[in-house]
Amino acid sequence: MPGAPHTPRVYFTTLAVVPFVPGATLVTNILVVDDSATIRRMVRAALQPVAEAQFVEAETGLEAIERLAFAPVGLIVLDLNMPDMHGLEVLRFVRAHATYRGIPVLVLTTRGDDASRGAALAAGATAYLTKPFAPAALAAEARRLLERGGVGAGR
Amino acid sequence: MPDAEREAGRFSDSFLDDYFAECDEHLRAMRAALLKLETALRDGRLDPGALEQIFRGCHSIKGLSGMVELTEAETLAHELESYLRALRDAELGLVPAGVDTLVDGVMELERVIVARRDRLPVPPSAALIARVRALTAGGASAPAGARTAAAVTSGGQRWQATYVPTPALLERGVNVNTVRERLQELGTIVSAMPDVRAGGGLAFTFVVETAAPPALAEWERDGITWMRLGEAERAPAAAEAAPAAAATAAHFVRVDLARLDDLMRIIGDLVIDRARLAESLARVEPHVPANEWQAVHEHRSSLDRHVRDLRHGVMRVRLIPVGDVFDRMVFVVRDLAREYGKQVRLELHGKATEIDKFLIERMMEPVLHLVRNAIAHGLEGPEARQRAGKPREGTITLRASTVGDTALIDVEDDGQGVDAAAVTARARAAGVPVPDGPLDAGALLDLICAPGLSTRETPDRGSGRGVGMAAVRAAVQEVGGTLSLETDPRRGTRFTLELPVTLAITDAIIATVGDRTFAVPQNSVSEVIEVEPAAVRQLENNEIIPYRQGTLPLVRLSRVFGVAAAPRPRLHVFVTGRGAGAVGVAVDRIVGQKEIVVRTFGDRFIKVHGVAGATELGDGRVVLILDVGALVRSGEARGVR
Amino acid sequence: MTETYILFTLAGTTYAVRTRDVQHMEMVEEITPVPNAPSFVEGVVFSRGQVVPVLNLRARFGFERIAPDVRARLLVVHAEGRTVGLLVDSAREFAGIAADAVRPPQDALTGLNGRYLEGIAVLNDRIVLVLDLAAVIDVAEPLVGGAKETV
């Protein structure tokens, strides 16, 4: 192998294939958006107790929007600071289009970042939670938002 | 809310491995970016991509550290992030002292995280944090440094790429992340915007600057259509893609090295099974009609090929570019140069060379030690160098390459060479036997590596882990490698580590000497030749044979092992070593070539010069694997007759 | 406290080694000699996928070597973090020996080999020498026959 770099390219796509029946509370998809694989895993683990939940993950804002187009999502857990597209952009996109407007969005903010929190609520976040979050708190918030469904406080 | 936080802490304990792995990735990316940042600064520019990369790394580590309750890391990352944000927003200019602080900051961050991982007390970072804060507060009075310039277009044409995702494409593995990566390879992404179209479908619009027009047909297959933009048209900048930032993350799977070890072990068993099958089939062959045997033979060959491919495939997964280790060296060298008051330049060659991750981890300390030695003792101070007619700046060269199944790592300096007289004196003082006469490089290396000699190294950083040249050599030999030395008082010193790239399974030549069977790793044999016994000449205490245009020293394995050799009409000799160190090793018969599973050979009773391990050839008997290099050396040392 | 021991014979004498130190016992098959190893190292065998050195206990204790026969056994023992095989004349019995039944070896009785013994016990009028395994497998002087040693 004289110097030629070889990087194993293995990509796993997780597509949730769930029939969407309006009105019936079957299994619901939770979209977890964070550029850190570790945080995504933590969120999933924290939300395990939420019985009806299946998970869709996105590493970037663009990917999150792509996922939205192909899987019916009952809740978005959204990190704000992401490399390619800031979480606020994703939020604005979601609120700007009728198809997605009604999806509750739970925003994860970093401790001490009050400005972002305010901006998130102004942009239409349904609720927020600061990192580090207690898993029980995240699960409780998620359940609450899933039951309520519907639009965030800001709009 | 202390209770919630404590709960979060306990919860996050199960993610600690992920935390350390992810931090490691971020730190690695930050180190590479720091190098870019420094290089750009030397040209008076601020590299915005590199800055962004470091900023993101700090931000991510901050968030993660908060989740696992590593407050020291969180705080430090936070301070660095603030400084980086100020730089990014052009409130501050970047000066060399700033880069130094960032470098120290990243190294400190790593120290803190590693301390937590190894369950050691976390070092206090107060001084460093104070430095960072001072820089951040610099503000208006800060000297003009390089600032973030307005985004400079890279030249070339502007194109608009529209990507429409579909379930079919997603199933094929085409998604917005992969599309974005491909676009980044093509040129610079100026903007990326999602849009919901009239019919409700989703589309992504990228504006890309590229010198070469894209091959439209190819892209269309993956749902991407292109449109040329006029020069004047400027698409609104929505989301700026950070160059190469997210690049690799989506395409890799994090794998626990232990699982790869398991795979290798299973493949090892598979190789043995295959050997046993071959034996059984050989016994059965006479009883099988020829036409049926053909099919059996073909199937067995096919199996052989697939097992070999599988083995190579799994080995490749464990390979990582040595550049990761080399990048660290840049920072180590900076520190060491400062510590020892030398001016040092580091040259790196072969960063893309891939070496087994396990090997790299084992070789980190030895290479670090050799670099430290080179700076501490090998290189002269700037004044002394100038007097000697050399440039004031000394050069350390790290080189990595692969030759067949062997990886070579060189650590070279252009300093004053190894002082043989001083080494000899220290050896005698330490009671180490010193051979008479002028010392060749091999003997000098033996002295340097003798235990009890390397005590000049003060136990400073990096100590506590068995430093000293003895430990370096032991570490290299433990993985089946060899350490060699070349030195010249006028030109400097070079240490070469030869490491087998494939640890567990390797190709070997099977040979017999007397009634014993041995295996010799293929990678230590450069050639196999036959020699007439009459062609062997005596030269003092040694035997030599004609080889190519010259001669080759001959070592008879039968004598080295004290085994009676069978008289044979021709000598079978395999040639090992390179250049002036090449030697011919004579055996009775070369039986063939096999893929063998190397079983380690650890017990002290059998740690014998010349035996590197053992293997099984399919019939349950142990066959020894020879360390030809060591054999040859020991043969020479005893003056083999 | 009574412990269980495996009893083996060597040049007519009975020795004992703790059962818990013995990984397993097998009949002696082919032992591959290792060149330049100390003379009492008979060679190596594969045992459970591991390469295990075999000590010829006769040689170790200074007795005359004999060719292994059908009764010869290989005791694979584990001590000091190492796995080593002991080649003995025969091994067939188990016995329980109480701790206070083991007396320290007296110089007169055991001579040079005292350092390989933990003590002496008497079982039904039979003298049994209890092995000090750590001493037996200890590497007393630098090994590596032939070439000079580099550690």
Side-chain angles (χ1 to χ4, degrees), chain A residues 1 6 8-12 36-38 41-42 59-60 62-63 65-66 70 81 84 97 111 132-133 135-136, chain B residues 5 7-8 11 18 22 56 59 67 74 163 165 167 175-177 180-181 196 239 249-253 354 402:
Chain A
M1 276 174 286
H6 172 87
R9 298 193 100 80
V10 185
Y11 184 81
F12 290 98
S36 160
T38 310
R41 285 193 60 199
M42 285 176 156
E59 195 167 7
T60 66
L62 292 176
E63 191 185 350
I65 291 172
E66 190 180 40
F70 293 100
N81 282 291
D84 68 326
H97 293 95
R111 187 157 44 191
F133 53 80
Chain B
E5 284 184 19
E7 197 189 325
F11 163 75
D18 289 286
E22 193 165 324
R56 289 231 51 84
H59 177 81
M67 278 307 296
E74 191 187 1
Y163 164 61
N175 59 67
V176 71
N177 283 343
R180 188 144 121 255
E181 263 185 55
V196 174
H251 276 246
F252 292 100
V253 165
E354 292 187 327
T402 47

